[in-house]
Amino acid sequence: MRLSDLRGRTVAVWGAGREGRAAVTAIAAHGPADLVAVDDSANFLSLPWEGPLAEAAPLVTGEDGFARLAAADVVVRSPGVPQTHPWLVELRRRGVTVTQGTALWMADHAARTVGVTGSKGKSTTSSLISHLLAAADRPNVFGGNIGVPTLDLPEAELYVLELSSYQCSDLTDSPRVAVVTALFPEHLDAHGGEREYYRDKLNLLAHGPRTVVVNGADPRLALELGDRAAVRAGLPDTVHVAGGADGTPWFHLGDRPLFPRAVLPLVGRHNEGNLCVALAVLDALGVDVVARRDTLAVAVAEFQGLAHRLTEIADPSGLTFVDDTLATSPYAAMHAIDAYEGRPLTVIVGGTDRGLDYAPLREHLAERELTVLGIPDSGARIVEALAGLPKVRTDVVDDLVDAVRRARELTPADGVVLLSPAAPSYGRFRNFEHRSEVFAQAVRDTAAG
C-alpha cells in the first residue's frame, strides 16, 4: 500500500507523537475522504495538537478512539503502539487494514533504500553506512528510528534507514539492501513473545530484498536464516578482521587487506562486527572498498561514536566512566562488559523490571572478575541472579547517584565504571537521555566531593 492508495478512503492515524504527526501531514496531501488522529495515551507530556495538524485531522483521545479506528478503511499506527495492545488485536480480528508510515514510505522508496535493523548495533551500523557512503562519493539521506520519521525525509537518490522491530513489523516491501546486525530476545512484552519478536524483526527480509547483509558471527541470526542467501559479514569470504602481515588485526575483504583495526576508534568486538557489516553493505552497493580503502580508513578514523553507547567520560581520578545507558537488555550489557575485558570493572545495572531472564548474563560472567552494583527497580533481581559466582562481587544501592559514589570506593584507579543497565530507563527517569544526564552529573559531583 502506497500513500497514493489512501486517496478517497477513510483513514485513522493512531498516535500523536513524532511519527503520527508526520503521517497526518503526508496523508492529508494525498486527499483522503476522511482523516482523523487517535491518541489513547495522551498525558501531560503530549505536544499540543493545533494549527495545520488540527485542520487536517481532528484529534480523538481516550476510549472514544477505538470507535474511530474500527470505522476506518485503513489504520496507520505509530511504531509505539505495541502488537499486544488490545485495540490492535481486536482491529486485526475484525480484518481492518493496519499499516505504518514507514510501510507506506517504503512502498515508494524501497529500491533506493538500505534498511538496517538488529537487537543491538543498528544505530551505530546505520550511521557508519551513511558516513562511509558519503566519504565514497555516494550522497545519501539518513533517517528512520534514529530521529527523522521516514515520511519527513526529503527526496534523494539513496537512503539509509535505522529501523526498529516495531517499524519492520508492518512492512510489505523490503529495502534494496536489508541488513540485520544481531538477534536476541528483546521487547517481548510489545511483540507477544520471543518467536513473535523474531518474526517482526525479520519481516525486513520477507519481501524480496535484492541483497541481505547480516552479522555472520551471530548464532541466532544463523539459526533463523538457515541456508538463505546472504552476505555474512565477519566470515573469511567477505569483510572480516584477521591478523595482518605484522600480526596486528586488520580489516579485510576476503584475502585483501583494507586497514588496521586500530583505525576504528570504537571499543569492543561488537563494533568491529558493526564495521564489517557496514563495509559489506558498501561492497554490495558497488563501492570498490579495496580501491577506496585509504579514503574509507580516514572516514572510519573520523567517525564519532553515538551518544549513550559506550560513551567515555573523562575523570581526574584516572577512572574511566562509561555511559552505555542504551544497553537495555542483558545481551547488550554483555557486549559492553566484553569491550573492557582485561581492566578492573564495576558495572551498574538495573532499571524498569520487564521480567527478563538474567540467566544468560550469569552464564556470561561465570569466569569473569568484576563488581556489579544494582539500582532500582530490577537491580536487586539481577544481583540475585548472579549470587554465588566466585569472582563477581555484588551490592545493591539506593539509586544511580549512590551507585556512582559506591563505584568510586570499589574500583581501582585504572579501572572502568560502566553504566550498562540491562534494563530500560522509564519509571524513574523521563527517558534514556535523562538517565545519562543523571549519571554524568553524578560523576562530576562525586569527583568534586
Side-chain angles (χ1 to χ4, degrees):
M1 178 177 289
R2 291 173 161 80
L3 277 168
S4 57
D5 295 329
L6 301 180
R7 185 179 304 277
R9 306 183 76 176
T10 300
V11 181
V13 172
W14 188 358
R18 183 178 60 195
E19 291 278 350
R21 289 163 180 264
V24 164
T25 300
I27 294 167
H30 285 78
D34 184 64
L35 179 61
V36 64
V38 173
D39 186 6
D40 64 311
S41 62
N43 56 46
F44 69 95
L45 294 175
S46 299
L47 297 173
W49 191 267
E50 56 193 15
L53 283 170
E55 294 173 10
L59 179 65
V60 178
T61 59
E63 293 296 322
D64 293 340
F66 178 74
R68 300 303 299 268
L69 295 172
D73 298 324
V74 179
V75 171
V76 180
R77 71 180 178 109
S78 295
V81 177
Q83 295 280 17
T84 52
H85 193 297
W87 290 6
L88 185 56
V89 172
E90 178 61 18
L91 291 172
R92 294 195 191 281
R93 189 191 70 79
R94 296 186 184 190
V96 176
T97 299
V98 179
T99 187
Q100 280 187 63
T102 298
L104 294 169
W105 183 93
M106 191 70 76
D108 287 319
H109 299 87
R112 291 176 277 161
T113 300
V114 177
V116 183
T117 196
S119 304
K120 176 72 174 175
K122 62 184 179 292
S123 299
T124 297
T125 302
S126 55
S127 299
L128 272 167
I129 293 168
S130 177
H131 176 70
L132 296 181
L133 282 170
D137 304 314
R138 296 289 298 274
N140 62 92
V141 168
F142 183 40
N145 186 60
I146 203 163
V148 182
T150 51
L151 290 173
D152 279 343
L153 295 175
E155 281 299 310
E157 294 184 5
L158 181 62
Y159 298 90
V160 179
L161 301 184
E162 180 202 327
L163 298 171
S164 69
S165 55
Y166 311 124
Q167 291 171 306
C168 291
S169 62
D170 287 327
L171 293 178
T172 53
D173 301 87
S174 290
R176 172 182 172 180
V177 181
V179 183
V180 188
T181 60
L183 199 62
F184 53 74
E186 179 68 298
H187 306 304
L188 304 188
D189 50 343
H191 291 272
E194 185 172 343
R195 293 308 316 164
E196 292 80 4
Y197 169 69
Y198 293 163
R199 175 203 65 203
D200 290 346
K201 197 76 161 170
L202 297 179
N203 189 48
L204 181 73
L205 316 180
H207 307 285
R210 189 180 306 177
T211 305
V212 173
V213 179
V214 301
N215 174 6
D218 187 287
R220 287 180 187 80
L221 264 176
L223 184 63
E224 293 294 327
L225 288 174
D227 59 0
R228 175 173 184 150
V231 178
R232 299 172 190 251
L235 301 186
D237 60 338
T238 180
V239 182
H240 66 285
V241 177
D246 60 356
T248 61
W250 278 56
F251 287 95
H252 292 71
L253 175 58
D255 60 358
R256 292 166 290 179
L258 299 176
F259 43 78
R261 162 63 177 93
V263 168
L264 177 64
L266 307 184
V267 300
R269 290 184 180 176
H270 65 292
N271 279 319
E272 292 179 9
N274 292 337
L275 180 54
C276 286
V277 170
L279 291 168
V281 169
L282 265 66
D283 183 54
L285 289 171
V287 175
D288 190 336
V289 297
V290 176
R292 303 297 300 272
R293 58 190 170 192
D294 291 343
T295 297
L296 293 173
V298 172
V300 168
E302 292 174 344
F303 182 74
Q304 299 294 314
L306 303 180
H308 319 296
R309 298 164 178 86
L310 293 179
T311 302
E312 297 189 355
I313 302 171
D315 187 75
S317 69
L319 291 173
T320 301
F321 286 85
V322 183
D323 173 15
D324 194 42
T325 193
L326 283 173
T328 58
S329 78
Y331 299 92
M334 287 151 53
H335 282 301
I337 290 167
D338 286 349
Y340 291 95
E341 187 173 6
R343 295 184 64 182
L345 181 62
T346 298
V347 185
I348 301 170
V349 299
T352 307
D353 195 340
R354 296 178 293 169
L356 295 178
D357 179 10
Y358 287 100
L361 181 62
R362 177 187 175 85
E363 181 179 347
H364 191 73
L365 299 183
E367 301 301 325
R368 297 292 295 268
E369 183 174 354
L370 75 164
T371 300
V372 177
L373 300 178
I375 62 174
D377 295 318
S378 60
R381 192 166 69 82
I382 298 172
V383 164
E384 183 180 357
L386 303 179
L389 292 179
K391 299 180 182 179
V392 177
R393 300 170 297 276
T394 60
D395 197 3
V396 176
V397 296
D398 291 338
D399 55 32
L400 182 53
V401 175
D402 285 340
V404 172
R405 187 178 297 112
R406 183 74 172 130
R408 283 194 181 277
E409 299 171 356
L410 298 174
T411 313
D414 59 341
V416 176
V417 178
L418 170 65
L419 172 63
S420 194
S425 58
Y426 44 80
R428 292 179 178 263
F429 301 95
R430 293 189 301 273
N431 47 41
F432 68 86
E433 291 98 339
H434 183 211
R435 180 160 63 183
S436 288
E437 291 168 8
V438 171
F439 179 63
Q441 187 62 49
V443 172
R444 290 190 293 269
D445 290 346
T446 55

